[in-house]
Every structure is written in structure tokens, then in C-alpha cells.
Amino acid sequence: MRKICASLVSVLLLSACGQAWNDPYPASDARRNILYTAFTDRPKHLDPAQSYTEDEATFTAQIYEPPLQYHYLKRPYELIPATVEQVPVPRYYDTAGRELPHDAPVERIAESVYELKLKPGIRFQPHPAFALDGQGKPAYLGNEIAAGRQAIRDFPLVGTRDLTADDYIYQIKRLAHPRLHSPIFGMMADKIVGLKELGENLQKAAQAQPAGAWLDLDAHGLSGVEKVDTLTWRIRIKGKYPQFTYWLAMPFFAPVPREVDRFYAQPGMAEKNLTLDWWPVGTGPYLLSENDPNRRMVLSRNPNFHGQTYPCDGEPGDREAGLLADCGKALPFIDQAVFTREKEAIPYWNKFLQGYYDASGISSDSFDQAVRVNVGGDVALTDEMRDKGIRLLTSVKTSTFYMGFNMLDPVIGGLGERATKLRQAISIAIDQEEFISIFQNGRGIAAQSPLPPGIFGYDAGEAGINRVVYDWVDGKARRKPVEVARQLVAEAGYPNGRDAKTGEPLVVNLDTTGGGMGEKSRLDWLTRQFAKIDIQLVIRSTDFNRFQDKLRKGNVQLYYLGWNADYPDPENFFFLLNGDEARVGKGGENSSNYANPEFDRLFAQMKNMDNTPERLAIVRQMNRLLQHDAPWVFGLHPKSYTLGHRWLKNRKPNDVGNNILKYQRIDPAERGAARRTWNQPVLWPLVAGFVVLALAVVPAVLGYRRRERRAALR
């Protein structure tokens, strides 16, 4: 009984302590300036030459610094300097090397030259690759350096040095490295002068070396990239390519020092995950201090960060939202960011509600608990969320999801009237608004063209609707009646869904990778959409590799794909339908194999233009062609819904600029108070259990003592 009482007293004393019983973090961190969040998919690559996915950018964008970045608050998105003194303005040259005026015709421009000049005094994060011994030589170079070491912390000596133009040039060369397989090498080899030739030379050099040997890129020249001085370099681009400045804001063009590449290339390093793909090295505000991608990853403040300040301007509404309160203050605000891997949505959500994660998305399981959709379609927080002081941030992502038609298919392909009307009918019949309501919880807008909001050329309202699919009624777009679609099917030669000549039913095939929660419901819904116009839909599920092979060979009729913007420009979406990008025969990204000579002509004219009224007119003309030809069923642009606790400041959705951690701020005291309030221990079950236990034990104890006394008297 004494032990039971002591245990209960201990529990009651613990409940009076400041930290909640269920707090997953050390008590010593309760008042520290740490942001807590979660990730679901482990990053595959942290090497800037290879990394290309959103889940990887969560980390790489905080560590690496390409020359340019996006203004955190302004919309439309605006490029600003990151490590360079100014956004470069290209100079144009003809085939004879003569400089041309800025408004020179595109056909006269043989090369564009971008000159970039670094801000002085920028230094790399502390790292053993920069450590020097007493003789000023690298401290960690040798065949046995990896022996006995398992992690980067096992190298006690660290050093640093200033960022130079050489570091940026070295990384551009790494795009051509044959062992890295950079996903943008093919594209950049067509743009950067000499990069293709460098790739060929490096391929030969690698073949002449033992497997895994270090390939010294400084021994191989790149004609299109020139070092001017320690802080300045020039990049020569073939022809005119205005979108190149957007690439200069991506980690592909972030600096990688030769010392770091040499350090990680030593024998035994890769076997222990001592690689740039696991332990990145940069000049950004944070460094990766812990990497266990199956459990948690930690970003810590880079003590060598050169410093930037919080912006003082934005777009209308930012000041009212409190987003300018930290104007001019030094960045970053947060000392550390702890990312815990959560494979299941419900634990992630529950920890957010307990205050143990500072921000969260909204899964389908928690949607009704988090938000409510009003009669007019507006979304608002539930009372429970508002009472907790949680904020809702929404934005339409610069992404598009679509169903594509294979334009090489003899039934639904081609630009002839029969197939075009069939595709138009299917576009009308598939009710995207219903799909968004049922399967997206309203998180999306029906697409009218490939271009999402925020991209130059996107038109909202009546000016932007797809008039093949919609009418403008009472100030809003209304999908045409299904009878219109049925009439188009009949005009295409399939009255009531049967071939007018043979009487055979019209059957079309959708190839899909299948799988995933709710997939059967979505496909059943889609089958019913086709049935409305008497078309039989056959679902052909396959694995991802087989699906990609069928796309490459054109062995599909219908397919689903999506695209996230690499950069905010219409060229980055329209190229998906450019004839020169056909998947079949050319290996491009145009999986529909759409080839309209007029569209291709306009694309070639539009892609190299600045954002002028003339370019806007061409973009609108291209959209009208696509709406008529219907190579895609324009699906939806997803909406991002993010929740943030009241103690998380300066958070604004940003779909193309990923280096957002440095702008955010935490109020640890407010967070701690909320955690204690929301995680109060419920003691009455313990007390009740103690009483029940006592009632059961006390009679037994008393009886035992009576028997002992009787035995003693004998």
C-alpha cells in the first residue's frame, strides 16, 4: 500500500511540473527557438546536381544559395539577388560576336551572355572539407580517412572559406558529370555553350578511370562559362532564352566547392553515406546537423551565414496580415528546425492539435474537423480551430493536373473534325467541379487551360474561360449541359455511343498506374462520367515503369499526368504541348504527342519574349487553340491549405521559392503556454483506479493481518 501511495503521489507531483507528460521533446528545449514540423516522404537526393523534388527542396533550399531567389512576399513572383549584387540583364551578340541592342529580333541573336558578380564576404558553413593541418594542407585527405568514421561529426576539425565564382563554375560542370545523371543536363546542354561537349569529354575521362575514382572537373574546360575575377563569372547561352534567370534561382546552380567534392570522393566515404547527397554543404542560413531520413532530420543555424534582412514591402493585404511587422530585421529568426517523419496522417494531425507541430497540412481524414465549406463555396476554419488561434493559409498552386489524349491514336487522336469533337465531348462530360468537391474536399479550381493562376497569361473570370466547355452565366462559368456533349459524340460519328457505320460500341482505354487510397472510387466515378455520353471506359492498370514505357511508345489512348512549375513562366507549361517535345520519336515531355503547326509557330515566337502586351496576346491565342483542339481534358489546379499555430509568424504560401524557413519566426513562450493548456493530464481515472484498488486490497490486507495475529497468539 505504501508503494501504491508513493506512486500516486509521484504522478500528482509530475502533473504540477511545467512540461506536459506527453511532450515528445526534451524539457531543456521547451523555451528554445526551434520550429517543429514533419515530413512524410524521405528525400532521395540532397546533392544540388541531382535534387529535383519538392520534398527535397524543403531541405536543400535552406542550405544552398543559388545566385538568385524569389521575393518572399510579392506576387506575381519576382526574382531578386541572393548572393549576387543584382539580377543579371543579358547582353546579346550576333554570329560575328557583335553586341546587339536589347530589342534585337530573336533570329539575329546567336548568344546571350549573363554576367554575375558576387557580394563579397560570403562564407561557407563549417565543414571538415575546409579543415587545414599545421602546414596549411587539407586535414582530411588520404586513402584511409574514412576508416573508423561513421558520421560527419567524427571529423573533429572544421574550417571555412569565402565563396568565389569558381564554386559556381564547378557546380555547372557537375551538371555534366556522367555519374551524377543530373535531370537537367540534357536541357542545359542545349542551352549553355560547351556543356554538351564537356559531358562527352567527362564520359570518356570516367571510362578511362577505375570505377569510383574522383573525376577532377577543374582539369576539363567549359567554353561557355568564364571566370572574370574572384567574384565574377559569365555564362554564355545559345540564342535567346529569357527563362534562364529563373534557373539561376534553383539549387542546380548553387555553388559546390572543389574541396567538398574531393573530400567526399575518397575511398570508403560513399559506403558510410559520407557524400554530398547525404551531407550537403552550402552558404545558406541553415546546415543539416542531423540526417536520419527514416526518423528525423534537423536543420541548425549556419554560424557563418552572411546575413539578410526581412522584406519591407509585399502585396496588398500583407501589412494587415502582420507579414511586414519584422521589416528590416536580420534573418534567420529560427535557430533550429526539427523535421520528424510521420508516415500516417492521423498521428501527424493529433500532434499538431496538441501543439507539438507548429504547422500542418490538412488530410482528407481531418478536413471536416479543420474547415467548413460555406454555401457560397468559401472555406473557413471550424470553431475548434479558431478557438485554438490556428490560422488557415490558402493558395492555388502553380500546378496543373490533366487527362491527356494520345493524338497519334486512330480513334481519339489527330486534328480532324471527328476526333476533335470526340475530345471536346469528353472534356464537357467529365465534371471537374464535381470531382474537386468529392475527391479534393473542394481544394482546387477547374482548369481552363494549362496555365494556373500566378503565371503570366492566366486570365481569371470571363476572359479566361474555355468556351468549348463552359458558358458564362450570371457572372460565373457554367459547364455546358451533357446534351451538348452527346450531340458532339453523334456528330463525331458515334450516335448513342455506337459507330454509325459498324454499330460497334465506342470503347476507350485509360492507362493508369493504379493503387492508392480511394483509387477505385475515383475510377468508378470516371467511368460514370463517360457513361453519360454512352462511351465505355476500360481501365488498364499497370506499374509505373510499364506505364512510362507505354507513353514512350505511344501505346495509350488516355492517361493522367500533372506538372508543377519549375519557374513562373507560360513557356514552362506550353512546352508540354510543343510538337518538338513529342514523347514518341523525340523523347520529350509532350506525352499527348500534340502537333499543331500554328501552335508550334506561336510557341517558338512566345517563348523568348519578355512579358509584354504582345506576348500576352500570343499566349491568349495559344490557349484558344488548345481549348479548341482539346489534346488534354484540362483538369484542375490544386489548392494548398496550410494550418499554422498563432505562435508561428511570417508564414506565407510560396510555390516556387522554397527558401522560406529563414523568414519564419516562433514565439516559444506562447507555444509553451498553449502546450501546457492543451495537454493537461486527466487525473480522475488514476484516482478512481486507486480507490478501486484500495477497496479491493484493504480487506485482503486487514484479513491477512488478523490471521497473522491469531497465529502469533497460538
Side-chain angles (χ1 to χ4, degrees):
M1 284 296 292
R2 284 194 295 270
K3 290 181 179 179
I4 294 173
C5 290
S7 297
L8 182 62
V9 169
S10 298
V11 167
L12 293 171
L13 287 174
L14 281 172
S15 70
C17 295
Q19 190 176 23
W21 296 0
N22 60 343
D23 194 332
Y25 309 118
S28 58
D29 289 347
R31 294 187 176 276
R32 290 186 60 198
N33 191 17
I34 301 175
L35 181 140
Y36 295 99
T37 186
F39 66 103
T40 55
D41 298 317
R42 57 173 291 171
K44 295 180 178 64
H45 295 292
L46 298 177
D47 184 328
Q50 298 174 285
S51 177
Y52 204 8
T53 66
E54 190 173 351
D55 55 292
E56 294 163 356
T58 299
F59 303 99
T60 57
Q62 325 313 323
I63 299 167
Y64 296 112
E65 285 190 298
L68 305 179
Q69 62 184 338
Y70 290 94
H71 193 288
Y72 182 53
L73 300 177
K74 288 185 178 180
R75 305 293 183 274
Y77 294 102
E78 178 183 314
L79 284 170
I80 60 173
T83 60
V84 294
E85 292 185 343
Q86 63 185 19
V87 177
V89 177
R91 300 196 306 273
Y92 302 124
Y93 296 87
D94 63 15
T95 54
R98 293 185 295 264
E99 186 167 357
L100 300 171
H102 185 73
D103 58 353
V106 172
E107 58 272 15
R108 290 192 59 198
I109 299 174
E111 286 186 356
S112 306
V113 177
Y114 292 78
E115 183 169 297
L116 300 106
K117 187 175 182 61
L118 286 172
K119 300 171 184 175
I122 299 175
R123 297 177 72 77
F124 282 99
Q125 69 183 64
H127 193 271
F130 302 118
L132 302 176
D133 61 18
Q135 286 74 44
K137 297 180 179 179
Y140 297 114
L141 275 185
N143 289 333
E144 302 298 324
I145 287 298
R149 295 184 167 100
Q150 300 297 325
I152 206 72
R153 62 177 174 272
D154 294 332
F155 298 87
L157 298 178
V158 296
T160 186
R161 68 162 173 80
D162 283 356
L163 174 67
T164 69
D166 285 324
D167 301 315
Y168 284 95
I169 296 172
Y170 195 86
Q171 167 61 7
I172 296 174
K173 290 182 178 180
R174 294 182 77 246
L175 299 179
H177 198 301
R179 300 189 194 121
L180 295 179
H181 306 290
S182 176
I184 70 162
F185 169 66
M187 181 192 308
M188 287 299 135
D190 289 337
K191 303 295 183 185
I192 299 176
V193 173
L195 191 63
K196 181 179 180 180
E197 292 74 15
L198 174 63
E200 295 169 352
N201 292 337
L202 293 178
Q203 184 72 44
K204 294 175 184 176
Q207 291 171 350
Q209 288 183 329
W214 180 54
L215 192 59
D216 186 357
L217 301 184
D218 279 350
H220 300 269
L222 175 55
S223 61
V225 182
E226 174 192 0
K227 176 184 175 182
V228 179
D229 57 42
T230 303
L231 299 178
T232 312
W233 72 107
R234 295 190 187 115
I235 304 173
R236 291 161 53 207
I237 300 296
K238 299 173 185 177
K240 183 178 181 180
Y241 182 49
Q243 292 80 14
F244 185 67
T245 52
Y246 295 121
W247 288 101
L248 292 174
M250 299 177 71
F252 293 116
F253 288 88
V256 169
R258 181 180 186 274
E259 303 98 307
V260 169
D261 192 37
R262 182 73 186 93
F263 172 83
Y264 283 131
Q266 296 179 91
M269 291 289 210
E271 290 79 3
K272 299 177 180 181
N273 282 329
L274 293 170
T275 66
L276 198 66
D277 223 13
W278 198 269
W279 293 108
V281 180
T283 61
Y286 294 96
L287 54 85
L288 188 63
S289 56
E290 184 176 335
N291 186 3
D292 183 354
N294 290 319
R295 190 177 67 89
R296 79 173 204 165
M297 300 177 71
V298 178
L299 292 172
S300 299
R301 183 191 289 262
N302 174 10
N304 295 340
F305 183 55
H306 53 97
Q308 293 173 353
T309 57
Y310 191 86
C312 291
D313 54 351
E315 63 176 341
D318 283 347
R319 186 174 302 279
E320 292 76 9
L323 289 169
L324 295 178
D326 288 321
C327 160
K329 294 182 180 178
L331 299 176
F333 296 116
I334 294 167
D335 293 330
Q336 196 172 73
V338 175
F339 298 81
T340 303
R341 190 172 185 193
E342 292 286 358
K343 298 180 182 179
E344 303 293 334
I346 293 177
Y348 186 171
W349 176 246
N350 287 337
K351 290 175 188 176
F352 170 72
L353 293 182
Q354 292 169 323
Y356 296 130
Y357 291 140
D358 299 314
S360 171
I362 308 176
S363 69
S364 298
D365 294 331
S366 56
F367 188 83
D368 291 338
Q369 185 181 0
V371 299
R372 61 171 184 267
V373 181
N374 300 326
V375 177
D378 296 329
V379 176
L381 286 169
T382 61
D383 293 341
E384 177 187 358
M385 299 298 107
R386 285 205 312 271
D387 291 344
K388 283 179 171 283
I390 291 172
R391 300 187 182 98
L392 173 65
L393 299 175
T394 66
S395 67
V396 180
K397 296 180 71 66
T398 52
S399 307
T400 189
F401 290 89
Y402 60 91
M403 173 190 283
F405 298 99
N406 179 11
M407 298 294 284
L408 300 179
D409 184 79
V411 177
I412 51 88
L415 297 178
E417 183 178 7
R418 177 173 174 146
T420 299
K421 287 187 174 183
L422 189 57
R423 294 192 301 270
Q424 291 175 348
I426 294 172
S427 298
I428 295 170
I430 300 177
D431 191 337
Q432 302 296 342
E433 291 78 11
E434 184 177 279
F435 180 89
I436 292 167
S437 175
I438 296 174
F439 299 106
Q440 299 286 120
N441 293 115
R443 288 179 285 185
I445 63 172
Q448 307 293 330
S449 77
L451 303 184
I455 301 297
F456 179 82
Y458 173 83
D459 284 319
E462 185 176 6
I465 68 166
N466 180 355
R467 294 197 175 274
V468 171
V469 178
Y470 292 89
D471 296 315
W472 189 257
V473 181
D474 297 330
K476 63 177 64 175
R478 179 181 297 174
R479 185 170 293 272
K480 290 181 183 292
V482 72
E483 288 77 16
V484 174
R486 291 174 64 89
Q487 179 61 34
L488 286 168
V489 173
E491 292 173 5
Y494 300 96
N496 299 315
R498 291 184 175 272
D499 191 306
K501 295 180 181 178
T502 66
E504 293 293 321
L506 176 57
V507 179
V508 297
N509 302 307
L510 171 69
D511 282 274
T512 174
T513 53
M517 186 178 300
E519 179 73 5
K520 184 180 184 303
S521 297
R522 287 191 290 271
L523 293 177
D524 287 346
W525 175 88
L526 186 62
T527 301
R528 292 194 297 272
Q529 302 299 299
F530 278 80
K532 292 188 304 189
I533 53 176
D534 301 314
I535 297 178
Q536 298 180 31
L537 179 67
V538 175
I539 308 297
R540 302 192 301 197
S541 295
T542 185
D543 61 58
F544 180 78
N545 291 333
R546 175 64 178 149
F547 174 72
Q548 290 294 324
D549 185 61
K550 294 178 83 170
L551 286 179
R552 281 192 295 270
K553 295 177 179 177
N555 294 333
V556 297
Q557 280 188 303
L558 302 176
Y559 64 91
Y560 269 114
L561 281 179
W563 184 260
N564 297 319
D566 290 312
Y567 43 82
D569 190 87
E571 179 266 351
N572 194 234
F573 288 88
F574 283 145
F575 92 102
L576 298 169
L577 289 158
N578 177 28
D580 290 336
E581 283 284 335
R583 182 71 68 103
V584 175
K586 299 183 179 179
E589 295 291 340
N590 179 358
S591 296
S592 285
N593 304 295
Y594 174 67
N596 182 324
E598 178 63 8
F599 179 87
D600 291 345
R601 183 187 69 80
L602 292 170
F603 176 80
Q605 182 181 355
M606 177 279 307
K607 68 177 183 177
N608 293 321
M609 296 178 68
D610 297 321
N611 288 340
T612 60
E614 291 75 19
R615 193 185 199 213
L616 180 59
I618 294 173
V619 167
R620 287 170 173 167
Q621 190 175 348
M622 295 172 73
N623 274 331
R624 287 194 292 271
L625 280 173
L626 294 176
Q627 289 162 353
H628 173 269
D629 292 348
W632 293 355
V633 175
F634 303 114
L636 63 94
H637 308 302
K639 277 186 178 179
S640 169
Y641 284 21
T642 304
L643 299 175
H645 283 297
R646 61 180 181 267
W647 57 78
L648 178 58
K649 317 293 184 182
N650 300 337
R651 194 170 177 98
K652 183 173 182 176
N654 194 318
D655 290 326
V656 295
N658 295 298
N659 60 338
I660 62 175
L661 183 61
K662 62 186 176 183
Y663 299 105
Q664 297 174 59
R665 180 166 57 83
I666 289 287
D667 186 333
E670 188 174 5
R671 177 173 60 191
R675 285 179 179 176
R676 289 190 293 272
T677 301
W678 297 343
N679 296 278
Q680 289 288 337
V682 181
L683 296 177
W684 69 262
L686 290 175
V687 175
F690 172 74
V691 171
V692 171
L693 183 63
L695 292 175
V697 171
V698 168
V701 172
L702 294 177
Y704 172 77
R705 288 181 174 177
R706 282 196 296 270
R707 288 193 298 272
E708 289 292 309
R709 283 196 296 269
R710 284 197 295 269
L713 291 174
R714 295 194 188 106

